[in-house]
Amino acid sequence: MGAILDPSDARMTGGGAVNGHLYDVAWFRWLVALCIALPVITVVLGELIHRLQRRDNHLEATARAIRHTVAPALALALFARYVLRIESETWTQVLDTLVWVSAINAALSLVNVVLFQRAEQSTWRARVPRLFLDLTRFLLVVVGATLVLAAVWDSDIGGIMTALGVGTIVIGLALQETLGSIVSGVALLFERPFAEGDWIRVGDTVGRVVDMNWRSVRLRTFDEDIATIPHLMIAKDLILNYTEPAKLHIERISIGFSYDDAPNLVKRTMLDIARSTEGVLMDPPPEVHTLSYDDFSIAYEVRVYVEDYGRLLEIRDDFTTRIWYAAKRAGLTIPFPIRTLHFFDGQTLRADKAASDLAQGLSATTVLLPSETSDLAATGVGATMLHFGAGEYVVRAGDDGGTLYVVVAGRARMVIGGHDDEQIVLTLGRGEFFGELALHHGESSPVSIVATEDVELVALSAEAVQQLMTTRPALAREVDDIAGARRRTIESVQRLGARG
């Protein structure tokens, strides 16, 4: 440090420090100051950025702008002016312009953080789209750069604006698609069909919006991939928003079951599965619809309501997995999409199956003796198996008699009155019969019989019943007693209804 400058250094020091110490020279003091200050500022800003990042503070962006652009640009300008003593006015103006543009960019970043990114969600500032802020910031930087050029370079603003206008036209012709994406992005800002965090579908791509910049929208798909879709493509395609205006989403799941499975049993099973699946809403309730009768199965569609679209794959997987177990428990068959050829005597096989079903159904009744049921099942004359779905009318009040029905499975209700003022007389279950009022007395039915749930019945014709009563008179008396008791019950219900 005690070395004396060579006389040739007088040019750099202005000729006033030939016999002085090195630290007495102005350019050396600037060099030392810059060598110390720039690393210190860089380290301090780096630590500040690290702390802000851990606290998830948006001021991190401003600190980065100062560390990466403003501080280096300012150090470079000071180094060139006071250490290298560059006398070229052009280089000085270039460096000054670089410093001012960097400072303007950092200042706009600070304004953006203070006014918008730290704003509360309930304020209008929080609802300003990021793309609009980016475009506004870019325009302000351009305006600031224009003012800097006018001040530093002593240029005519009118000339600069003219040059910018001509340049804009040339750039616009060269970048038509890119500018089209920007214009489409601005249109999306005003329309706001979605926002960051929404689950949307654009064309065949489904994902959650993670970013929306001046050129494109980025979606994170279910596969954790990032799909980048330009605004120009979004403007030309259909957009489905699964999050707004309501988070409610209907998921449709199709499934096929065998023709041997009663549709209402299938529907009850599917509803039970839906109600037990986590993530499926109970309000609105799930729905099951019969879609079509296909080649090898009856097609059903289950509609479940989901609020968290991000869990859709998980909920769907849980539901479809439970279908197999529930179908096994309920005795339902999910058929293979194949054709099976059977070589048999069709008439014989159908007759054997009908006789077996009839025998099983007749065994449910308590009014017929085993020998009587076996005889009816063997001959099949005057006895038929019938199936009714929940809500269907088996008999309507006023229908002509002539058939006695025995409940094999399920439940039905005996009612009087119309649909709006229906009054239940009694409920009929397995082994009970009805139709005796019209059959025994030869009159039209005074009541209606409605299937409360899916019900299987054996229908006995008047001839078959008459033959049974002829061979066993006690049966006629038993049916007559039941008919009289039910008639009194009907009259009692009618009197109560009249009083009400």
Side-chain angles (χ1 to χ4, degrees):
M1 294 297 291
I4 304 298
L5 287 175
D6 188 83
S8 62
D9 291 334
R11 178 180 55 82
M12 295 183 63
T13 61
V18 175
N19 297 321
H21 295 283
L22 188 61
Y23 54 79
D24 291 330
V25 183
W27 69 265
F28 183 75
R29 290 198 301 271
W30 276 104
L31 178 62
V32 172
L34 290 174
C35 289
I36 295 175
L38 183 60
V40 170
I41 292 174
T42 302
V43 171
V44 170
L45 288 175
E47 181 63 24
L48 177 62
I49 292 171
H50 180 66
R51 290 178 178 272
L52 293 174
Q53 191 174 21
R54 286 192 303 175
R55 297 177 182 178
D56 196 22
N57 194 315
H58 295 293
L59 287 173
E60 172 200 352
T62 303
R64 285 185 182 276
I66 296 174
R67 184 175 187 263
H68 295 157
T69 59
V70 178
L74 181 60
L76 181 60
L78 293 175
F79 182 79
R81 176 171 295 181
Y82 296 107
V83 177
L84 298 180
R85 298 293 183 92
I86 294 178
E87 298 178 355
S88 173
E89 183 179 359
T90 301
W91 277 106
T92 302
Q93 290 173 325
V94 169
L95 293 174
D96 288 346
T97 302
L98 180 63
V99 172
W100 278 109
V101 172
S102 301
I104 290 173
N105 180 59
L108 291 176
S109 174
L110 178 62
V111 172
N112 178 43
V113 170
V114 173
L115 292 183
F116 298 101
Q117 293 190 0
R118 299 181 65 180
E120 297 182 0
Q121 292 297 325
S122 59
T123 62
W124 66 270
R125 292 176 297 169
R127 294 192 293 269
V128 176
R130 179 178 173 182
L131 176 58
F132 182 77
L133 295 177
D134 291 342
L135 291 175
T136 304
R137 180 176 174 178
F138 174 76
L139 292 176
L140 291 177
V141 169
V142 171
V143 172
T146 302
L147 296 177
V148 169
L149 289 175
V152 175
W153 295 79
D154 196 21
S155 301
D156 181 20
I157 295 182
I160 295 176
M161 297 303 295
T162 302
L164 286 176
V166 175
T168 301
I169 295 174
V170 174
I171 294 174
L173 293 175
L175 303 175
Q176 292 184 30
E177 290 192 5
T178 302
L179 293 177
S181 290
I182 296 176
V183 173
S184 299
V186 173
L188 287 174
L189 286 180
F190 289 100
E191 188 177 355
R192 293 184 64 84
F194 54 82
E196 289 190 21
D198 289 356
W199 282 91
I200 66 171
R201 175 189 290 272
V202 179
D204 296 329
T205 305
V206 178
R208 183 171 58 87
V209 180
V210 296
D211 183 39
M212 183 176 177
N213 55 38
W214 59 272
R215 193 190 73 87
S216 62
V217 173
R218 295 198 302 162
L219 306 180
R220 184 179 296 278
T221 66
F222 283 113
D223 297 330
E224 295 299 322
D225 298 325
I226 296 295
T228 302
I229 308 176
H231 293 308
L232 195 60
M233 293 180 60
I234 295 177
K236 296 179 180 179
D237 217 328
L238 175 67
I239 304 172
L240 292 179
N241 193 327
Y242 297 118
T243 305
E244 296 293 340
K247 293 184 177 181
L248 202 64
H249 169 69
I250 300 178
E251 180 66 9
R252 292 173 168 83
I253 302 171
S254 298
I255 184 72
F257 285 93
S258 170
Y259 274 84
D260 294 330
D261 300 330
N264 284 337
L265 176 59
V266 173
K267 290 182 177 182
R268 286 198 303 270
T269 304
M270 294 298 101
L271 287 176
D272 290 340
I273 298 172
R275 295 187 185 108
S276 63
T277 302
E278 184 180 356
V280 173
L281 300 179
M282 294 298 103
D283 184 21
E287 304 171 359
V288 182
H289 299 274
T290 305
L291 290 184
S292 61
Y293 290 82
D294 297 333
D295 292 340
F296 54 87
S297 66
I298 302 177
Y300 300 88
E301 182 182 74
V302 185
R303 300 179 185 179
V304 296
Y305 292 83
V306 178
E307 190 172 30
D308 186 357
Y309 192 83
R311 293 187 56 213
L312 181 63
L313 292 182
E314 175 189 345
I315 295 171
R316 188 184 179 96
D317 172 72
D318 190 14
F319 178 85
T320 52
T321 301
R322 293 172 183 236
I323 289 178
W324 188 90
Y325 296 96
K328 288 293 183 182
R329 290 194 300 271
L332 302 176
T333 303
I334 303 175
F336 295 99
I338 59 175
R339 294 181 183 274
T340 304
L341 299 179
H342 299 277
F343 298 93
F344 62 96
D345 184 348
Q347 286 296 116
T348 302
L349 184 61
R350 283 194 292 269
D352 291 344
K353 185 177 186 304
S356 174
D357 293 342
L358 186 59
Q360 183 178 2
L362 287 170
S363 65
T365 180
T366 58
V367 297
L368 299 179
L369 297 175
S371 59
E372 295 170 340
T373 60
S374 60
D375 291 342
L376 284 172
T379 62
V381 177
T384 309
M385 287 290 297
L386 300 177
H387 299 265
F388 289 87
E392 285 191 286
Y393 278 82
V394 181
V395 177
R396 291 182 181 272
D399 287 353
D400 293 334
T403 305
L404 184 71
Y405 300 91
V406 180
V407 180
V408 174
R411 291 185 304 163
R413 62 184 183 274
M414 180 182 294
V415 299
I416 59 175
H419 181 74
D420 296 332
D421 58 346
E422 178 183 284
Q423 294 177 284
I424 299 177
V425 177
L426 54 88
T427 300
L428 303 166
R430 175 182 169 84
E432 297 184 282
F433 61 88
F434 58 88
E436 76 289 340
L437 294 175
L439 175 67
H440 197 49
H441 297 281
E443 57 188 32
S444 60
S445 176
V447 296
S448 297
I449 305 297
V450 185
T452 304
E453 56 190 48
D454 285 9
V455 63
E456 295 181 22
L457 307 170
V458 173
L460 300 176
S461 67
E463 292 77 12
V465 175
Q466 187 63 40
Q467 183 180 355
L468 290 171
M469 291 181 177
T470 302
T471 57
R472 186 160 64 92
L475 177 61
R477 291 192 297 270
E478 183 177 352
V479 171
D480 193 45
D481 292 341
I482 293 175
R486 289 181 176 175
R487 189 177 294 277
R488 289 190 294 271
T489 303
I490 293 171
E491 292 173 353
S492 176
V493 172
Q494 288 174 335
R495 287 195 299 269
L496 290 175
R499 292 176 185 174

